């Protein structure tokens, strides 16, 4: 029970990774305070992972709005008395393209969500983390920030997540004296709703079985399969927990060994 009695704020809870992280928090004894823009998704996840409602709370939250970030942090303290960890899943990852065709107005929107939104939400939780005597902040980055994939172009997403990882180093130093740890998990190809959709689309476009497309992806890994949303959630829960008390300023690839460093 890595998170027994701990309260974890999770932003960006939908059907994929956010759901799996919230599920793992509750499974490991924690309270999960869920935020996302769509209230129905939050209610669905809360009902699935905590049917009696004792260990979850949720609030529709847009992390580009500072007041809404503050409201989610306040809900955590009001309901459970503290914040011990914050996990940032909320992201704009659906804009594709490179530099030649870049719409920089859209890039600014991606940065506002993925970089500044994450920092807004972190800052909103700082008073409670300090009051708890420290805690953990876990960013969700992407392997694309350090090794661009050949199958798709997501330059804006990769750049925003790369900037977030760079910010992690500064925050780890700034907040470390208050025993607040800051780390990043970098998923690669992660089996969950977005990659499932990519595999279906590619298979339909090429007229081949989905298993063939999935096999091509898996062949790039040292382990003979893709990491899943649940695998990434396990790494997140560890970094959020007191068992990682001496780990800060680190980036952890969860990618079945596709990229090693």
């Amino acid at each position: 029970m890595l998170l027994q009695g701990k309260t974890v704020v999770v932003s960006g809870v939908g059907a994929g990774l956010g759901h799996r992280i919230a599920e793992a928090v509750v499974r490991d004894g924690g309270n999960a305070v869920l935020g996302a823009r769509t209230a129905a998704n939050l209610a669905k996840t809360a009902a699935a992972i905590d049917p009696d409602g004792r260990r979850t709370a949720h609030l529709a939250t847009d992390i580009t709005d500072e007041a809404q970030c503050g409201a989610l942090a306040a809900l955590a303290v009001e309901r459970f008395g503290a914040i011990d960890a914050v996990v940032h899943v909320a992201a704009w990852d659906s804009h594709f393209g490179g530099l030649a065709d870049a719409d920089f107005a859209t890039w600014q929107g991606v940065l506002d969500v993925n970089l500044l939104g994450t920092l807004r939400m972190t800052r909103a939780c700082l008073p409670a983390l300090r009051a708890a005597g420290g805690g953990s902040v876990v960013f969700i980055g992407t392997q694309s920030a350090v090794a661009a994939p050949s199958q798709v172009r997501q330059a804006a997403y990769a750049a925003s997540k790369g900037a977030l990882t760079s910010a992690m180093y500064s925050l780890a130093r700034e907040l470390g004296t208050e025993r607040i740890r800051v780390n990043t998990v970098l998923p690669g190809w992660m089996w969950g709703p977005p990659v499932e959709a990519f595999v279906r689309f590619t298979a339909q476009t090429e007229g081949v079985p989905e298993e063939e497309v999935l096999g091509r992806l898996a062949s790039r890994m040292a382990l003979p399969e893709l990491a899943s949303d649940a695998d990434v959630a396990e790494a997140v829960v560890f970094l959020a927990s007191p068992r990682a008390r001496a780990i800060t300023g680190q980036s952890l690839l969860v990618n079945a060994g596709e990229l090693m460093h």
Side-chain angles (χ1 to χ4, degrees):
M1 303 294 278
L2 295 179
L3 294 170
Q4 185 68 46
K6 303 296 185 182
T7 296
V8 182
V9 174
V10 185
S11 74
V13 175
L17 180 59
H19 178 100
R20 292 298 184 188
I21 291 171
E23 181 179 53
V25 168
V26 171
R27 178 204 67 198
D28 278 4
N31 306 310
V33 181
L34 316 178
R37 291 184 302 169
T38 305
N41 289 343
L42 297 172
K44 184 176 181 180
T45 288
I49 68 175
D50 180 38
D52 61 16
R54 291 185 299 172
R55 291 172 44 208
T56 57
H58 54 88
L59 182 67
T61 306
D62 182 344
I63 62 171
T64 66
D65 185 310
E66 196 149 6
Q68 292 187 40
C69 292
L72 185 63
L75 173 64
V77 175
E78 176 186 344
R79 178 70 188 278
F80 299 112
I83 296 175
D84 300 288
V86 189
V87 179
H88 299 281
V89 186
W92 185 346
D93 60 0
S94 57
H95 178 67
F96 296 90
L99 179 62
D101 58 350
D103 173 0
F104 287 126
T106 302
W107 277 52
Q108 286 181 322
V110 173
L111 286 164
D112 194 29
V113 174
N114 297 353
L115 174 62
L116 299 180
T118 298
L119 297 179
R120 285 186 197 97
M121 192 67 242
T122 300
R123 185 165 68 177
C125 293
L126 282 182
L129 289 168
R130 289 173 175 139
S136 176
V137 178
V138 184
F139 296 155
I140 302 298
T142 176
Q143 181 178 290
S144 299
V146 293
S150 58
Q151 296 90 343
V152 294
R153 289 182 179 173
Q154 280 184 299
Y157 177 66
S160 67
K161 291 293 191 175
L164 185 60
T165 299
S166 294
M168 173 196 71
Y169 298 118
S170 295
L171 294 179
R173 183 69 67 182
E174 176 186 349
L175 302 177
T177 56
E178 300 175 275
R179 299 189 180 278
I180 298 171
R181 301 176 292 105
V182 188
N183 294 288
T184 301
V185 173
L186 303 175
W189 287 94
M190 179 175 61
W191 188 248
V195 172
E196 291 172 28
F198 171 82
V199 168
R200 284 195 301 270
F201 174 79
T202 303
Q204 291 169 2
T205 301
E206 297 182 5
V208 298
E210 292 181 16
E211 291 75 14
E212 180 177 328
V213 178
L214 181 58
R216 286 182 221 154
L217 295 176
S219 69
R220 301 163 60 94
M221 316 302 167
L223 300 172
E225 61 182 331
L226 272 63
S228 68
D229 287 351
D231 295 321
V232 175
E234 296 295 343
V236 168
V237 164
F238 168 70
L239 289 173
S241 79
R243 292 194 188 178
R245 63 181 297 274
I247 301 174
T248 195
Q250 304 301 315
S251 297
L252 176 62
L253 284 162
V254 183
N255 63 359
E258 180 183 15
L259 175 70
M260 305 180 190
H261 72 77

